[in-house]
Structures are given as C-alpha cells and as structure tokens.
C-alpha cells in the first residue's frame, strides 16, 4: 500500500484528499438501486478486490431488501393510505430503517477496512443514490498532490 | 323552509363569484408560465416551485375548484338529505373531501423524486469517462451525442446525458424544464398541482385523481337524488326555483366528471402497463421497431402493485440546507444521513485548509458563474423561514396539517 493509516482518526489528522472514485449504478435489473461491482483501476493498489466487492454486494443486498415489493410493503402502503399517511408520524418506513442499517454498515466498513487503507466511502444517499463516492487520501507528508479545496460534503441527504 | 330560502341566494352567488375567481387564477397561471419560476442558484435543488409562495399560488388553482365550488353546492342539499335519507351521506362526503385535500397537498408539497445535480468532482469524473469513450474528436467536428447504452431485461435502453444536471439520467428519469431538475420516473409536470409527478409522489397523485373522481360522482349522484326527492314533493319546476344551486352544480359536476374520470382512467391504464405519461406521449414502447417496455412485469396486478404498493422512497434532497459560508451542517430530518454526515465532516474539515465547510455546496471560488454565491445567499434565507419541508414521509403529515390551516 502506498499509505497506511491505523484508524479513522489518524486519517483525519494526517491525510489530504488526493482523488475521488465514483462507483456508478448498475441498471441491468431495471430501476432498482444497485451498484456496479466492477473493481475500479484507481483502487488497484489501495485495497483488495474481494473486500471491495464484498462491500458493494452487501450494499446492493441492503438496497434490494429496502425496495422489495412484498407483504410488508403492501401492508405499509395500505395502512398508510387508510390513515391518510398520518401513520408515518408514528412509525418509520421500512426504507428508512434499512437506510439507517446501511449508514451503520458504511461507518463500520470505513473504520475497519477503508480508513486503514487511506480510503473513505460516502453514503450513496448523500449523492442522490447515484454513485458510491470513494475518497482516496494520501499522507500529507509523502505526497504533494492534493485537490485540497474540494469537499466531501453532501449534495443531498 | 325559511332557512333553506336564505341559503338560496348565498350559494349561487358564491359559486358564481368563485368561478370568476378560478378563471382569473387560470389566466394568471397561463400568462405567467415558466417565467414565473425564478430558478434559484442552489446547486442541488434550484427549483422555486418548491418555494412556498409559488407553490401555494399554483396549487390554489386546484384547491379553488375543490374547496370552493364542490362543497358550497353540496351544502345546500346537506340538510335535506340528512333529514330525508341519512346523516351518513354528508358525513361520508366530508371524509372523502378531506381525503382529496390531503392527497392534493401531499402530491403538491412532496418531493417528486428530484435527482440532485452532480458535484464538481462527480461531473469531472463523468466528463473524463465520456472523453475516454469518444476518443479524439477532430476540430470542427461535432462531438458524438452523450448517450450510454444499458441492457435492462434483455432490452437496450439509452441513457441520455443531462447538460444542466451534469449526470447521465437514470432510466425513466427526465429533466423538467419548469422545475429545472431531473426527476426520477418522470411522469409529467402537473400545473394543477403545481409540482412534477414522479417516482415519489405518483401514487398520491393517482389517489388524488381517483378520490376526486369518486367525490365528483358522489356529489353528482346525491345532487340528482336531492333534486329528484324534492321534485317528488313539490314538482320539478318548483325544485329548480327553490334550489337553483343544486341544479347548477349538477351541470358543473357533469362536465367536470368527464375530465377527472377520464384522467383517472388514463392513469389506471398507464399503471396497468407500468408506463409513465412521458413514455406514453413519446411512444417509447410502442411501434414496430421500438423496444418493448422492459419495466413491465407483463401482469396487470403485478404492475399495479409495484406502482401503488411499492416502498416509500426516501427523498435525497436537503431542503433546509443553508448556503451561507459560515453555516453549520443543516438540521437533518433523516437520522441515518446525520450519522454519515458527521462521520465525513470531521475528515473534510481537516483536509480543507483554506475554504470553510459548506455542507451542500462547493466552495465559492469553485462556483461556476451561472451559480453565483450571491444569489445562493438570497434564496437561502426564505428557505430557512419556511415551514419544514420534509425529506422523509413521516414528516410530511405535519406539513399537510399546516397546509390545511393555511
């Protein structure tokens, strides 16, 4: 690896943003939320292919679970319609619950797998569910390149 | 009888007055058109139809008709029907009316599924991909159109590049010129509702048209019953003299019925085929050499279930985001986003040495001329003051309640 960090905190203190890699959506199954598992060449030297693919597959599974049209979504829809959608004041939709699971998973992956390798995954919901943004960091001391002024702030929520 | 006589002139007068008001509104909206939509400079959602004032004035068109005309006329018949037939009749009408208004407000004020614009890094990444794909273009030659081909259910679908939003539009998404945003599963922009109809609010729109059809049919039927019952008692000519409002309303309902029921029927047809109005108009899936609809399940019930009983998709917009340079992160209504935002924030704060953290926006020095920082600030303040526009379904209802009091 070019750079190694022990944890997210070290990444925060001694890294600078070098590049961003965007994993695009995979539309082969229609309009369901699914990301391509193709390994980007920019991450070749940073992370093992299997780890990356596992993360993306896990995210795809979560999104498939959220968007599954089955018994629970029917019940939720009918109940919501009957109560003029006031029921959503009291209960959380299934999608929101799964989104929370996803953000916890991404945070865990960042802490355990990606930050030690100088990478950071941004939750797709912050990029309009269009891409998985992976920020590539370099050690400040070792590399002079830095796109510096860019930000990982969200475009949406 | 006396109390009913006093109602005679009032409802008729009110109906006529409000029809004039409605016609005035209609002409204002038609004349104003897209120019009335002042495109804000917020990069992620430059869409002023979500601006409170504009939204209200556009939606008032539909609201005027439903709120003012239909109930006014029905009120004339209510006491008579309640006494002679059953009090449940006006009660059910009120419930149906409340449902119609709730659906209208929900359709109007919910995010249709707007796709936020690409941030500069993402836009650059896509540009590089396009250039790599196109190769060298000779000077003077037009570059090839930016299209990506994807295979969906063994059919080739073309994804177009949106020059405004700087993204390749997902399948079924389209750019709405009125709202100036790409909308996922774009159906159409409804001027009556004052909003686009897209993935997130299509079912509310359908329920609105369906319940409005039912309400119109219900009022039509019971007005006829009212007139018939009165005619049995006192003759038809006398009935017209006593309750001209009801007779007038029968006519209004009759003509309204055709358009509303027709629209509901059309959308029922589209849902059963899993098509959008946009696709139907363009003829995307019809014709001999065209691709067959790859999204249809080839089963009417499955198609209906997918459209009407599908999951409630989250909004990916941050409507309360503030564009000011010294702003803190926006108050999230989605806890999941909040946690990820917090985790990514500390990193970005330390990596950016010069520019302050702007949650929804790139730094001012990177801002393109068309999206000036000055105009961002001017549009952010009204957004701050407006009532919470929800980004998740469970927060929509309070807005609905607020709207009805408005």
């Amino acid at each position: 690896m070019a750079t190694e960090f022990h944890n997210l905190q070290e990444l925060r203190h001694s890294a600078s943003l070098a590049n961003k890699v965007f994993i695009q959506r995979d539309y082969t199954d229609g309009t369901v939320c699914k990301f391509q598992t193709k390994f980007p060449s920019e991450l070749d030297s940073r992370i093992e292919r299997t780890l990356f693919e596992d993360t993306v597959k896990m995210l795809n599974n979560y999104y498939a679970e959220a968007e599954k049209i089955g018994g629970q979504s029917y019940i939720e829809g009918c109940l919501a319609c009957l109560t003029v959608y006031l029921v959503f004041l009291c209960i959380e939709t299934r999608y929101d619950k799964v989104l929370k699971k996803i953000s916890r998973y991404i945070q865990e992956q960042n802490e355990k797998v990606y930050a030690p390798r100088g990478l950071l995954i941004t939750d797709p919901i912050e990029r309009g569910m269009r891409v998985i943004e992976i920020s590539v960091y370099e050690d400040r001391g070792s590399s002079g390149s830095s796109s510096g002024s860019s930000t990982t702030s969200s475009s949406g929520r | 009888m006396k109390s009913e006589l006093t109602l005679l002139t009032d409802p008729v007068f009110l109906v006529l007055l409000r029809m004039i008001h409605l016609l005035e509104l209609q002409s204002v909206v038609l004349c104003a058109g897209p120019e009335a939509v002042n495109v804000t400079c917020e990069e992620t959602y430059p869409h002023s139809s979500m601006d409170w004032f504009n939204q209200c004035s556009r939606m008032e068109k539909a609201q005027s008709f439903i709120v003012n005309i239909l109930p006014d006329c029905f009120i004339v018949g209510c006491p008579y029907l309640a006494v002679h037939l059953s009090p449940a009749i006006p009660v059910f009408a009120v419930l149906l009316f409340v449902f119609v208004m709730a659906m209208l407000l929900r359709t109007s004020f919910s995010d249709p599924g707007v796709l936020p614009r690409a941030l500069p890094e993402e836009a650059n990444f896509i540009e590089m991909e396009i250039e790599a794909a196109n190769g060298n273009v000779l000077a003077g030659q037009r570059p090839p159109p930016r299209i990506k081909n994807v295979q969906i259910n063994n059919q080739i679908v073309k994804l177009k590049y949106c020059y405004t939003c700087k993204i390749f539009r997902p399948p079924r998404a389209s750019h709405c010129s009125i709202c100036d945003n790409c909308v996922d599963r774009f159906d159409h922009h409804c001027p009556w509702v004052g909003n686009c109809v897209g993935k997130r609010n299509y079912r509310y729109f359908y329920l609105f048209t369906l319940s409005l059809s039912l309400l119109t049919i219900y009022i039509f039927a019971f007005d006829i019953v009212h007139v018939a019952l009165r005619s049995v008692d006192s003759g038809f000519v006398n009935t017209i003299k006593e309750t001209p409002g009801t007779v007038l309303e029968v006519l209004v309902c009759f003509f309204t019925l055709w358009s509303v029921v027709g629209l509901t029927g059309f959308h029922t047809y589209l849902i059963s085929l899993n098509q959008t109005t946009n696709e139907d108009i363009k003829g995307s899936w019809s014709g001999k050499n065209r691709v067959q609809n790859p999204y249809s399940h080839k089963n009417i019930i499955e198609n209906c279930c997918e459209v009407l009983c599908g999951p409630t998709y989250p909004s990916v917009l941050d409507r309360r985001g503030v564009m000011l340079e010294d702003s803190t992160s926006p108050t999230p209504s989605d806890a999941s986003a909040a946690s990820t935002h917090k985790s990514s924030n500390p990193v970005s704060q330390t990596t950016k040495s010069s520019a302050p953290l702007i949650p929804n926006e790139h730094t001012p020095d990177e801002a393109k001329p068309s999206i000036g920082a000055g105009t961002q600030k001017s549009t952010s303040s009204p957004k701050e003051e407006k009532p919470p526009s929800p980004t998740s379904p469970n927060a929509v209802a309070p807005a609905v309640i607020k709207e009805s009091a408005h």
Side-chain angles (χ1 to χ4, degrees):
Chain A
M1 306 281 166
T3 1
E4 273 192 30
F5 300 94
H6 294 297
N7 54 28
L8 204 55
Q9 280 183 320
E10 204 181 297
L11 185 76
R12 197 185 305 154
H13 290 300
S14 57
S16 64
L17 187 64
N19 195 11
K20 283 189 183 182
V21 181
F22 296 93
I23 313 299
Q24 303 287 337
R25 284 271 293 268
D26 178 10
Y27 293 116
T28 50
D29 286 338
T31 48
V32 289
C33 186
K34 195 176 167 193
F35 292 95
Q36 292 177 355
T37 48
K38 193 181 75 138
F39 188 68
S41 53
E42 293 92 338
L43 299 179
D44 222 352
S45 58
R46 304 301 292 254
I47 191 166
E48 293 89 358
R49 184 182 287 255
T50 48
L51 284 172
F52 169 80
E53 280 175 6
D54 285 343
T55 310
V56 179
K57 278 180 188 163
M58 195 64 193
L59 285 175
N60 287 341
N61 288 340
Y62 275 127
Y63 284 117
E65 182 199 326
E67 295 193 6
K68 199 174 80 163
I69 301 170
Q72 199 182 348
S73 72
Y74 295 154
I75 293 169
E76 202 178 74
C78 289
L79 184 68
C81 181
L82 289 170
T83 59
V84 196
Y85 297 92
L86 292 172
V87 74
F88 291 135
L89 285 171
C90 316
I91 65 166
E92 212 176 30
T93 67
R94 185 149 144 249
Y95 214 115
D96 285 333
K97 285 181 194 155
V98 177
L99 284 177
K100 284 188 178 167
K101 270 203 263 182
I102 289 171
S103 82
R104 274 197 301 268
Y105 174 74
I106 288 177
Q107 195 164 8
E108 179 209 324
Q109 286 286 296
N110 274 336
E111 281 168 9
K112 290 184 186 162
V113 178
Y114 289 84
R117 291 166 173 79
L119 302 169
L120 205 69
I121 299 182
T122 308
D123 196 336
I125 194 91
E126 295 186 18
R127 294 291 176 266
M129 306 270 274
R130 277 195 316 265
V131 287
I132 301 176
E133 186 184 289
I134 302 180
S135 310
V136 181
Y137 289 92
E138 295 287 348
D139 193 18
R140 261 188 202 154
S142 64
S143 161
S145 73
S146 129
S147 42
S149 54
S150 56
T151 169
T152 53
S153 61
S154 46
S155 63
R157 190 148 4 103
Chain B
M1 272 300 286
K2 273 191 181 172
S3 58
E4 282 169 24
L5 279 168
T6 53
L7 283 171
L8 267 181
T9 48
D10 273 334
V12 177
F13 180 70
L14 282 169
V15 163
L16 288 171
L17 195 65
R18 275 155 193 178
M19 279 175 108
I20 294 166
H21 176 60
L22 181 65
L23 287 167
E24 275 175 8
L25 268 176
Q26 223 167 8
S27 59
V28 164
V29 173
L30 285 170
C31 294
E35 283 74 33
V37 178
N38 44 330
V39 179
T40 68
C41 297
E42 181 190 359
E43 187 193 5
T44 57
Y45 195 38
H47 169 42
S48 79
S49 80
M50 289 313 290
D51 181 63
W52 191 253
F53 178 73
N54 283 338
Q55 191 69 4
C56 290
S57 58
R58 267 177 246 142
M59 205 214 21
E60 209 187 321
K61 201 171 157 183
Q63 209 177 19
S64 287
F65 177 76
I66 300 163
V67 176
N68 300 331
I69 294 183
L70 289 184
D72 272 346
C73 301
F74 198 60
I75 285 166
V76 179
C78 274
Y80 188 89
L81 287 169
V83 165
H84 285 79
L85 282 179
S86 162
I89 295 168
V91 167
F92 184 73
V94 167
L95 290 174
L96 200 49
F97 171 72
V98 166
F99 188 79
V100 167
M101 285 308 297
M103 287 301 106
L104 169 64
L105 293 169
R106 181 102 194 193
T107 311
S108 204
F109 289 94
S110 63
D111 168 22
V114 169
L115 297 166
R117 296 185 182 188
L119 289 178
E121 293 99 0
E122 192 187 334
N124 290 336
F125 186 83
I126 296 172
E127 287 276 352
M128 285 190 328
E129 266 190 352
I130 294 170
E131 276 165 26
N134 288 343
N136 287 323
V137 178
L138 296 171
Q141 261 190 357
R142 275 176 74 183
R146 295 178 168 192
I147 288 179
K148 241 192 218 179
N149 285 327
V150 291
Q151 201 177 44
I152 299 176
N153 291 334
N154 300 320
Q155 315 259 12
I156 302 288
V157 173
K158 291 190 195 303
L159 302 186
K160 290 187 188 166
Y161 181 77
C162 181
Y163 285 93
T164 317
C165 303
K166 305 229 180 319
I167 55 168
F168 273 100
R169 281 183 216 132
R172 314 192 92 175
S174 188
H175 191 94
C176 174
S177 51
I178 301 171
C179 304
D180 199 26
N181 279 299
C182 276
V183 177
D184 209 353
R185 202 188 185 279
F186 179 75
D187 194 84
H188 66 285
H189 182 98
C190 184
W192 283 79
V193 153
N195 197 8
C196 273
V197 176
K199 183 169 81 172
R200 292 190 75 245
N201 66 352
Y202 184 63
R203 75 192 65 177
Y204 311 133
F205 175 76
Y206 179 72
L207 287 172
F208 166 62
T209 56
L210 184 66
S211 53
L212 185 61
S213 308
L214 290 173
L215 182 66
T216 315
I217 291 169
Y218 188 85
I219 290 181
F220 181 65
F222 279 101
D223 272 342
I224 290 177
V225 165
H226 175 220
V227 168
L229 286 176
R230 277 188 187 262
S231 304
V232 163
D233 284 341
S234 45
F236 185 65
V237 178
N238 285 333
T239 308
I240 296 176
K241 284 183 198 168
E242 284 168 14
T243 56
T246 310
V247 177
L248 180 70
E249 205 230 338
V250 167
L251 290 172
V252 168
C253 274
F254 181 74
F255 290 113
T256 314
L257 232 136
W258 294 113
S259 46
V260 180
V261 171
L263 186 68
T264 310
F266 174 64
H267 279 283
T268 311
Y269 162 76
L270 289 180
I271 287 173
S272 63
L273 292 178
N274 202 338
Q275 275 191 25
T276 63
T277 308
N278 196 37
E279 286 163 359
D280 187 69
I281 288 174
K282 285 186 185 169
S284 308
W285 317 123
S286 59
K288 283 181 199 167
N289 299 323
R290 299 263 192 162
V291 176
Q292 297 302 305
N293 187 358
Y295 313 107
S296 171
H297 297 278
K298 313 286 181 209
N299 179 345
I300 290 177
I301 295 171
E302 271 193 52
N303 284 339
C304 291
C305 288
E306 191 198 305
V307 177
L308 300 174
C309 306
T312 38
Y313 298 96
S315 174
V316 293
L317 297 179
D318 176 25
R319 289 185 217 179
R320 285 200 256 164
V322 182
M323 300 309 161
L324 305 173
E325 275 191 34
D326 53 348
S327 67
T328 50
S329 27
T331 317
S333 63
D334 191 341
S336 62
S339 53
T340 18
H341 191 71
K342 280 172 196 162
S343 65
S344 59
N345 251 351
V347 182
S348 56
Q349 275 169 345
T350 52
T351 53
K352 252 191 328 176
S353 52
S354 53
L357 180 69
I358 298 172
N360 300 338
E361 188 54 84
H362 46 62
T363 52
D365 43 314
E366 280 186 76
K368 291 177 185 162
S370 59
I371 311 171
T375 32
Q376 285 166 2
K377 286 179 190 169
S378 64
T379 51
S380 65
S381 36
K383 276 197 179 298
E384 274 274 72
E385 276 132 30
K386 78 177 183 189
S389 291
T391 56
S392 58
N394 54 3
V396 170
V400 172
I401 293 162
K402 278 184 185 179
E403 278 352 291
S404 54
H406 167 261

